[in-house]
mmCIF file of all heavy atoms in Angstrom:
data_model
loop_
_atom_site.group_PDB
_atom_site.id
_atom_site.type_symbol
_atom_site.label_atom_id
_atom_site.label_comp_id
_atom_site.label_asym_id
_atom_site.label_seq_id
_atom_site.Cartn_x
_atom_site.Cartn_y
_atom_site.Cartn_z
ATOM 1 N N HIS A 136 103.131 40.733 80.187
ATOM 2 C CA HIS A 136 102.427 40.175 79.027
ATOM 3 C C HIS A 136 103.348 39.954 77.827
ATOM 4 O O HIS A 136 102.935 39.374 76.831
ATOM 5 C CB HIS A 136 101.265 41.084 78.617
ATOM 6 C CG HIS A 136 100.089 40.991 79.545
ATOM 7 N ND1 HIS A 136 99.008 41.824 79.433
ATOM 8 C CD2 HIS A 136 99.816 40.174 80.591
ATOM 9 C CE1 HIS A 136 98.119 41.527 80.361
ATOM 10 N NE2 HIS A 136 98.589 40.528 81.083
ATOM 11 N N TRP A 137 104.582 40.425 77.904
ATOM 12 C CA TRP A 137 105.543 40.187 76.820
ATOM 13 C C TRP A 137 105.932 38.718 76.795
ATOM 14 O O TRP A 137 106.119 38.131 75.746
ATOM 15 C CB TRP A 137 106.765 41.080 77.013
ATOM 16 C CG TRP A 137 107.842 40.879 76.007
ATOM 17 C CD1 TRP A 137 109.131 40.498 76.250
ATOM 18 C CD2 TRP A 137 107.770 41.034 74.585
ATOM 19 N NE1 TRP A 137 109.845 40.411 75.078
ATOM 20 C CE2 TRP A 137 109.032 40.739 74.039
ATOM 21 C CE3 TRP A 137 106.748 41.394 73.712
ATOM 22 C CZ2 TRP A 137 109.298 40.785 72.669
ATOM 23 C CZ3 TRP A 137 107.011 41.444 72.351
ATOM 24 C CH2 TRP A 137 108.281 41.136 71.851
ATOM 25 N N GLY A 138 106.075 38.111 77.972
ATOM 26 C CA GLY A 138 106.435 36.705 78.027
ATOM 27 C C GLY A 138 107.233 36.389 79.272
ATOM 28 O O GLY A 138 107.326 37.196 80.198
ATOM 29 N N THR A 139 107.806 35.208 79.285
ATOM 30 C CA THR A 139 108.573 34.745 80.432
ATOM 31 C C THR A 139 109.782 33.963 79.948
ATOM 32 O O THR A 139 109.726 33.317 78.897
ATOM 33 C CB THR A 139 107.700 33.888 81.376
ATOM 34 O OG1 THR A 139 108.463 33.524 82.515
ATOM 35 C CG2 THR A 139 107.173 32.640 80.698
ATOM 36 N N SER A 140 110.874 34.042 80.706
ATOM 37 C CA SER A 140 112.115 33.355 80.347
ATOM 38 C C SER A 140 112.658 32.612 81.551
ATOM 39 O O SER A 140 112.397 32.981 82.690
ATOM 40 C CB SER A 140 113.177 34.345 79.869
ATOM 41 O OG SER A 140 112.759 35.010 78.709
ATOM 42 N N GLN A 141 113.444 31.584 81.262
ATOM 43 C CA GLN A 141 114.075 30.828 82.333
ATOM 44 C C GLN A 141 115.354 30.192 81.809
ATOM 45 O O GLN A 141 115.375 29.675 80.689
ATOM 46 C CB GLN A 141 113.125 29.742 82.841
ATOM 47 C CG GLN A 141 113.652 28.967 84.025
ATOM 48 C CD GLN A 141 112.667 27.921 84.500
ATOM 49 O OE1 GLN A 141 112.345 26.998 83.777
ATOM 50 N NE2 GLN A 141 112.178 28.094 85.727
ATOM 51 N N TYR A 142 116.402 30.257 82.626
ATOM 52 C CA TYR A 142 117.641 29.548 82.314
ATOM 53 C C TYR A 142 117.530 28.123 82.814
ATOM 54 O O TYR A 142 117.041 27.885 83.914
ATOM 55 C CB TYR A 142 118.859 30.210 82.969
ATOM 56 C CG TYR A 142 119.408 31.356 82.178
ATOM 57 C CD1 TYR A 142 119.139 32.659 82.545
ATOM 58 C CD2 TYR A 142 120.197 31.126 81.058
ATOM 59 C CE1 TYR A 142 119.643 33.719 81.821
ATOM 60 C CE2 TYR A 142 120.705 32.182 80.321
ATOM 61 C CZ TYR A 142 120.428 33.468 80.703
ATOM 62 O OH TYR A 142 120.928 34.509 79.982
ATOM 63 N N GLN A 143 117.973 27.196 81.999
ATOM 64 C CA GLN A 143 118.070 25.796 82.390
ATOM 65 C C GLN A 143 119.478 25.363 82.009
ATOM 66 O O GLN A 143 119.738 25.052 80.848
ATOM 67 C CB GLN A 143 117.009 24.958 81.669
ATOM 68 C CG GLN A 143 115.597 25.384 82.022
ATOM 69 C CD GLN A 143 114.562 24.837 81.078
ATOM 70 O OE1 GLN A 143 114.837 24.572 79.915
ATOM 71 N NE2 GLN A 143 113.356 24.688 81.580
ATOM 72 N N GLY A 144 120.375 25.418 83.000
ATOM 73 C CA GLY A 144 121.784 25.181 82.701
ATOM 74 C C GLY A 144 122.323 26.351 81.903
ATOM 75 O O GLY A 144 122.232 27.495 82.312
ATOM 76 N N SER A 145 122.855 26.071 80.717
ATOM 77 C CA SER A 145 123.388 27.142 79.877
ATOM 78 C C SER A 145 122.399 27.534 78.777
ATOM 79 O O SER A 145 122.746 28.257 77.863
ATOM 80 C CB SER A 145 124.711 26.709 79.244
ATOM 81 O OG SER A 145 124.502 25.611 78.382
ATOM 82 N N SER A 146 121.163 27.063 78.878
ATOM 83 C CA SER A 146 120.156 27.373 77.860
ATOM 84 C C SER A 146 119.120 28.354 78.392
ATOM 85 O O SER A 146 118.608 28.185 79.497
ATOM 86 C CB SER A 146 119.434 26.103 77.409
ATOM 87 O OG SER A 146 120.336 25.221 76.790
ATOM 88 N N LEU A 147 118.820 29.350 77.600
ATOM 89 C CA LEU A 147 117.774 30.314 77.920
ATOM 90 C C LEU A 147 116.556 29.962 77.076
ATOM 91 O O LEU A 147 116.642 29.891 75.851
ATOM 92 C CB LEU A 147 118.218 31.738 77.619
ATOM 93 C CG LEU A 147 117.145 32.814 77.792
ATOM 94 C CD1 LEU A 147 116.746 32.938 79.262
ATOM 95 C CD2 LEU A 147 117.625 34.152 77.254
ATOM 96 N N THR A 148 115.443 29.737 77.742
ATOM 97 C CA THR A 148 114.199 29.436 77.041
ATOM 98 C C THR A 148 113.225 30.571 77.311
ATOM 99 O O THR A 148 113.015 30.956 78.462
ATOM 100 C CB THR A 148 113.597 28.097 77.517
ATOM 101 O OG1 THR A 148 114.583 27.078 77.335
ATOM 102 C CG2 THR A 148 112.363 27.744 76.726
ATOM 103 N N THR A 149 112.628 31.110 76.253
ATOM 104 C CA THR A 149 111.696 32.220 76.366
ATOM 105 C C THR A 149 110.386 31.854 75.693
ATOM 106 O O THR A 149 110.374 31.300 74.595
ATOM 107 C CB THR A 149 112.277 33.487 75.707
ATOM 108 O OG1 THR A 149 113.510 33.808 76.355
ATOM 109 C CG2 THR A 149 111.329 34.665 75.809
ATOM 110 N N TYR A 150 109.301 32.174 76.361
ATOM 111 C CA TYR A 150 107.960 31.998 75.800
ATOM 112 C C TYR A 150 107.322 33.370 75.671
ATOM 113 O O TYR A 150 107.202 34.098 76.659
ATOM 114 C CB TYR A 150 107.107 31.099 76.700
ATOM 115 C CG TYR A 150 107.483 29.648 76.589
ATOM 116 C CD1 TYR A 150 108.544 29.134 77.318
ATOM 117 C CD2 TYR A 150 106.808 28.806 75.726
ATOM 118 C CE1 TYR A 150 108.917 27.803 77.199
ATOM 119 C CE2 TYR A 150 107.166 27.469 75.604
ATOM 120 C CZ TYR A 150 108.216 26.972 76.342
ATOM 121 O OH TYR A 150 108.575 25.660 76.214
ATOM 122 N N ARG A 151 106.946 33.750 74.456
ATOM 123 C CA ARG A 151 106.291 35.021 74.177
ATOM 124 C C ARG A 151 104.791 34.776 74.022
ATOM 125 O O ARG A 151 104.374 33.830 73.369
ATOM 126 C CB ARG A 151 106.815 35.645 72.877
ATOM 127 C CG ARG A 151 108.282 35.932 72.896
ATOM 128 C CD ARG A 151 108.566 37.271 73.531
ATOM 129 N NE ARG A 151 109.988 37.537 73.477
ATOM 130 C CZ ARG A 151 110.706 37.838 74.528
ATOM 131 N NH1 ARG A 151 110.153 37.948 75.704
ATOM 132 N NH2 ARG A 151 111.985 38.041 74.415
ATOM 133 N N TYR A 152 103.992 35.664 74.628
ATOM 134 C CA TYR A 152 102.545 35.534 74.543
ATOM 135 C C TYR A 152 102.038 36.225 73.285
ATOM 136 O O TYR A 152 102.344 37.392 73.039
ATOM 137 C CB TYR A 152 101.887 36.128 75.785
ATOM 138 C CG TYR A 152 102.338 35.459 77.060
ATOM 139 C CD1 TYR A 152 102.852 36.197 78.117
ATOM 140 C CD2 TYR A 152 102.268 34.077 77.210
ATOM 141 C CE1 TYR A 152 103.271 35.581 79.285
ATOM 142 C CE2 TYR A 152 102.682 33.451 78.376
ATOM 143 C CZ TYR A 152 103.179 34.209 79.406
ATOM 144 O OH TYR A 152 103.594 33.594 80.561
ATOM 145 N N VAL A 153 101.275 35.493 72.497
ATOM 146 C CA VAL A 153 100.716 36.014 71.256
ATOM 147 C C VAL A 153 99.217 35.722 71.204
ATOM 148 O O VAL A 153 98.715 34.831 71.888
ATOM 149 C CB VAL A 153 101.392 35.408 70.004
ATOM 150 C CG1 VAL A 153 102.857 35.768 69.935
ATOM 151 C CG2 VAL A 153 101.209 33.908 69.946
ATOM 152 N N PHE A 154 98.524 36.486 70.370
ATOM 153 C CA PHE A 154 97.113 36.204 70.110
ATOM 154 C C PHE A 154 97.031 35.039 69.134
ATOM 155 O O PHE A 154 97.813 34.965 68.182
ATOM 156 C CB PHE A 154 96.420 37.423 69.493
ATOM 157 C CG PHE A 154 96.280 38.575 70.439
ATOM 158 C CD1 PHE A 154 97.087 39.679 70.329
ATOM 159 C CD2 PHE A 154 95.323 38.543 71.443
ATOM 160 C CE1 PHE A 154 96.957 40.752 71.199
ATOM 161 C CE2 PHE A 154 95.185 39.607 72.321
ATOM 162 C CZ PHE A 154 95.999 40.715 72.200
ATOM 163 N N GLY A 155 96.099 34.140 69.377
ATOM 164 C CA GLY A 155 95.967 32.975 68.514
ATOM 165 C C GLY A 155 94.524 32.614 68.265
ATOM 166 O O GLY A 155 93.614 33.375 68.566
ATOM 167 N N ASN A 156 94.325 31.454 67.713
ATOM 168 C CA ASN A 156 93.021 30.875 67.400
ATOM 169 C C ASN A 156 92.378 31.532 66.179
ATOM 170 O O ASN A 156 91.159 31.590 66.080
ATOM 171 C CB ASN A 156 92.088 30.937 68.612
ATOM 172 C CG ASN A 156 91.051 29.835 68.558
ATOM 173 O OD1 ASN A 156 91.362 28.716 68.158
ATOM 174 N ND2 ASN A 156 89.831 30.140 68.950
ATOM 175 N N GLY A 157 93.185 32.047 65.278
ATOM 176 C CA GLY A 157 92.652 32.668 64.067
ATOM 177 C C GLY A 157 92.033 34.015 64.357
ATOM 178 O O GLY A 157 92.104 34.536 65.451
ATOM 179 N N GLY A 158 91.420 34.579 63.375
ATOM 180 C CA GLY A 158 90.735 35.851 63.552
ATOM 181 C C GLY A 158 91.669 37.045 63.472
ATOM 182 O O GLY A 158 92.865 36.933 63.248
ATOM 183 N N TYR A 159 91.073 38.216 63.673
ATOM 184 C CA TYR A 159 91.812 39.469 63.601
ATOM 185 C C TYR A 159 92.904 39.504 64.669
ATOM 186 O O TYR A 159 92.644 39.221 65.819
ATOM 187 C CB TYR A 159 90.878 40.661 63.799
ATOM 188 C CG TYR A 159 89.680 40.680 62.896
ATOM 189 C CD1 TYR A 159 88.401 40.626 63.421
ATOM 190 C CD2 TYR A 159 89.832 40.734 61.517
ATOM 191 C CE1 TYR A 159 87.295 40.642 62.593
ATOM 192 C CE2 TYR A 159 88.731 40.743 60.680
ATOM 193 C CZ TYR A 159 87.462 40.699 61.224
ATOM 194 O OH TYR A 159 86.367 40.706 60.408
ATOM 195 N N GLY A 160 94.114 39.834 64.277
ATOM 196 C CA GLY A 160 95.219 39.948 65.207
ATOM 197 C C GLY A 160 95.971 38.646 65.459
ATOM 198 O O GLY A 160 96.872 38.610 66.286
ATOM 199 N N ASN A 161 95.619 37.594 64.754
ATOM 200 C CA ASN A 161 96.265 36.296 64.955
ATOM 201 C C ASN A 161 97.778 36.411 64.759
ATOM 202 O O ASN A 161 98.247 36.957 63.781
ATOM 203 C CB ASN A 161 95.704 35.268 63.979
ATOM 204 C CG ASN A 161 96.134 33.870 64.322
ATOM 205 O OD1 ASN A 161 95.892 33.400 65.424
ATOM 206 N ND2 ASN A 161 96.774 33.195 63.378
ATOM 207 N N GLY A 162 98.546 35.916 65.728
ATOM 208 C CA GLY A 162 100.003 35.931 65.638
ATOM 209 C C GLY A 162 100.658 37.194 66.170
ATOM 210 O O GLY A 162 101.873 37.237 66.314
ATOM 211 N N GLN A 163 99.878 38.214 66.491
ATOM 212 C CA GLN A 163 100.436 39.454 67.031
ATOM 213 C C GLN A 163 100.853 39.238 68.489
ATOM 214 O O GLN A 163 100.208 38.493 69.230
ATOM 215 C CB GLN A 163 99.400 40.583 66.987
ATOM 216 C CG GLN A 163 98.975 40.976 65.600
ATOM 217 C CD GLN A 163 100.089 41.649 64.842
ATOM 218 O OE1 GLN A 163 100.799 42.499 65.373
ATOM 219 N NE2 GLN A 163 100.268 41.267 63.593
ATOM 220 N N TYR A 164 101.922 39.901 68.900
ATOM 221 C CA TYR A 164 102.290 39.856 70.309
ATOM 222 C C TYR A 164 101.184 40.499 71.132
ATOM 223 O O TYR A 164 100.591 41.487 70.718
ATOM 224 C CB TYR A 164 103.610 40.587 70.561
ATOM 225 C CG TYR A 164 104.790 39.837 70.007
ATOM 226 C CD1 TYR A 164 105.514 40.325 68.930
ATOM 227 C CD2 TYR A 164 105.176 38.614 70.561
ATOM 228 C CE1 TYR A 164 106.595 39.624 68.422
ATOM 229 C CE2 TYR A 164 106.260 37.904 70.055
ATOM 230 C CZ TYR A 164 106.958 38.416 68.984
ATOM 231 O OH TYR A 164 108.016 37.716 68.481
ATOM 232 N N MET A 165 100.919 39.946 72.301
ATOM 233 C CA MET A 165 99.746 40.401 73.041
ATOM 234 C C MET A 165 100.013 41.600 73.934
ATOM 235 O O MET A 165 99.109 42.354 74.196
ATOM 236 C CB MET A 165 99.100 39.233 73.729
ATOM 237 C CG MET A 165 99.289 38.786 75.117
ATOM 238 S SD MET A 165 99.064 39.817 76.459
ATOM 239 C CE MET A 165 97.375 40.164 76.403
ATOM 240 N N LYS A 166 101.249 41.798 74.380
ATOM 241 C CA LYS A 166 101.520 42.947 75.252
ATOM 242 C C LYS A 166 101.213 44.250 74.516
ATOM 243 O O LYS A 166 101.662 44.475 73.392
ATOM 244 C CB LYS A 166 102.976 42.952 75.725
ATOM 245 C CG LYS A 166 103.265 44.078 76.707
ATOM 246 C CD LYS A 166 104.648 43.989 77.290
ATOM 247 C CE LYS A 166 104.865 45.074 78.324
ATOM 248 N NZ LYS A 166 106.168 44.937 78.976
ATOM 249 N N ASN A 167 100.427 45.083 75.169
ATOM 250 C CA ASN A 167 100.025 46.393 74.644
ATOM 251 C C ASN A 167 99.229 46.292 73.347
ATOM 252 O O ASN A 167 99.268 47.201 72.517
ATOM 253 C CB ASN A 167 101.233 47.316 74.477
ATOM 254 C CG ASN A 167 101.882 47.640 75.789
ATOM 255 O OD1 ASN A 167 101.219 47.712 76.817
ATOM 256 N ND2 ASN A 167 103.177 47.820 75.775
ATOM 257 N N ASN A 168 98.497 45.204 73.161
ATOM 258 C CA ASN A 168 97.672 45.038 71.966
ATOM 259 C C ASN A 168 96.254 44.596 72.262
ATOM 260 O O ASN A 168 95.473 44.402 71.341
ATOM 261 C CB ASN A 168 98.306 44.024 71.007
ATOM 262 C CG ASN A 168 99.285 44.657 70.067
ATOM 263 O OD1 ASN A 168 99.125 45.797 69.666
ATOM 264 N ND2 ASN A 168 100.330 43.930 69.720
ATOM 265 N N ALA A 169 95.878 44.386 73.514
ATOM 266 C CA ALA A 169 94.521 43.922 73.833
ATOM 267 C C ALA A 169 93.551 45.094 73.885
ATOM 268 O O ALA A 169 93.900 46.197 74.307
ATOM 269 C CB ALA A 169 94.506 43.167 75.154
ATOM 270 N N ALA A 170 92.318 44.824 73.459
ATOM 271 C CA ALA A 170 91.282 45.857 73.465
ATOM 272 C C ALA A 170 90.095 45.484 74.345
ATOM 273 O O ALA A 170 89.352 46.353 74.778
ATOM 274 C CB ALA A 170 90.806 46.132 72.042
ATOM 275 N N SER A 171 89.891 44.180 74.597
ATOM 276 C CA SER A 171 88.777 43.758 75.441
ATOM 277 C C SER A 171 89.163 42.525 76.239
ATOM 278 O O SER A 171 90.137 41.838 75.919
ATOM 279 C CB SER A 171 87.526 43.498 74.601
ATOM 280 O OG SER A 171 87.762 42.514 73.623
ATOM 281 N N VAL A 172 88.384 42.263 77.293
ATOM 282 C CA VAL A 172 88.689 41.198 78.238
ATOM 283 C C VAL A 172 87.421 40.428 78.570
ATOM 284 O O VAL A 172 86.330 40.987 78.633
ATOM 285 C CB VAL A 172 89.286 41.793 79.540
ATOM 286 C CG1 VAL A 172 89.473 40.729 80.606
ATOM 287 C CG2 VAL A 172 90.602 42.487 79.244
ATOM 288 N N GLN A 173 87.608 39.137 78.805
ATOM 289 C CA GLN A 173 86.517 38.274 79.233
ATOM 290 C C GLN A 173 87.035 37.448 80.421
ATOM 291 O O GLN A 173 87.990 36.689 80.273
ATOM 292 C CB GLN A 173 86.113 37.362 78.075
ATOM 293 C CG GLN A 173 84.951 36.461 78.325
ATOM 294 C CD GLN A 173 84.615 35.650 77.073
ATOM 295 O OE1 GLN A 173 85.494 35.302 76.292
ATOM 296 N NE2 GLN A 173 83.360 35.357 76.901
ATOM 297 N N ASN A 174 86.432 37.627 81.598
ATOM 298 C CA ASN A 174 86.825 36.841 82.762
ATOM 299 C C ASN A 174 85.854 35.669 82.891
ATOM 300 O O ASN A 174 84.710 35.844 83.267
ATOM 301 C CB ASN A 174 86.817 37.679 84.042
ATOM 302 C CG ASN A 174 87.293 36.884 85.244
ATOM 303 O OD1 ASN A 174 87.700 35.731 85.129
ATOM 304 N ND2 ASN A 174 87.248 37.498 86.408
ATOM 305 N N CYS A 175 86.338 34.487 82.587
ATOM 306 C CA CYS A 175 85.518 33.278 82.671
ATOM 307 C C CYS A 175 85.819 32.456 83.918
ATOM 308 O O CYS A 175 85.406 31.305 84.019
ATOM 309 C CB CYS A 175 85.711 32.429 81.417
ATOM 310 S SG CYS A 175 85.061 33.210 79.942
#
């Protein structure tokens, strides 16, 4: 849940998962920060 990385040639690209869409916790990293889940 921290994120994912990949090398493309000599470039390392990393995507970090964060909470979004406004509201409480917006912009916080999501790993070890979730309190509830909804399976849709």
Side-chain angles (χ1 to χ4, degrees):
H136 285 173
W137 177 240
T139 183
S140 298
Q141 184 179 63
Y142 276 102
Q143 298 165 332
S145 64
S146 296
L147 174 66
T148 304
T149 301
Y150 285 83
R151 300 275 183 234
Y152 301 126
V153 297
F154 291 105
N156 207 39
Y159 307 118
N161 191 57
Q163 296 291 316
Y164 289 112
M165 96 54 66
K166 184 173 184 176
N167 296 328
N168 273 327
S171 58
V172 174
Q173 183 178 33
N174 183 4
C175 293

